[in-house]
Amino acid sequence: MMEQWPEGPAVDPKATRERYASDMRASRKALREVIRADLSAAHFGLGVVVVASAAVGLFAGAIAGALVAGFFAALFLAALAVMLLRGIRGIDAGRRAYLFTFGWANWV
């Protein structure tokens, strides 16, 4: 069985690379749009963490509630450290770390 190439029977390597690169750009752009988190979702995520920490603290004890809150605080600080190591400074580093830590609420 002979494959049908858009470039014809004699495949042009340059055209094939260009088509591949174009398809990869389109695929990556679509993926970025799907997994993008916005600031309102991150605020909602922070709210969920605060409520969950309070609920765990109420039902399981104050130490357990503090552990939940402490885990997310540690995750935020680790994300902030990574942003600073990557050379992102100031408010943008804090915003990106905040979105990474709490942006999961976009899918709740």
Side-chain angles (χ1 to χ4, degrees):
M1 184 169 176
M2 189 103 167
E3 287 189 80
Q4 296 293 324
W5 293 87
E7 292 84 15
V11 176
D12 179 21
K14 184 178 177 187
T16 303
R17 277 192 296 274
E18 289 173 1
R19 185 170 48 93
Y20 174 78
S22 173
D23 289 347
M24 288 302 291
R25 278 193 302 272
S27 175
R28 289 177 180 151
K29 181 180 178 184
L31 183 62
R32 278 192 306 270
E33 289 296 320
V34 168
I35 63 171
R36 174 176 288 164
D38 57 350
L39 210 51
S40 61
H43 291 330
F44 182 68
L46 177 63
V48 169
V49 169
V50 168
V51 169
S53 296
V56 169
L58 184 64
F59 294 116
I63 293 175
L67 283 174
V68 171
F71 170 77
F72 281 97
L75 180 62
F76 174 77
L77 290 175
L80 184 61
V82 168
M83 295 302 156
L84 293 174
L85 288 173
R86 287 183 62 203
I88 302 167
R89 301 284 185 232
I91 295 251
D92 194 38
R95 182 180 171 280
R96 288 183 185 195
Y98 182 72
L99 286 173
F100 176 79
T101 306
F102 300 108
W104 50 264
N106 205 19
W107 298 281
V108 173

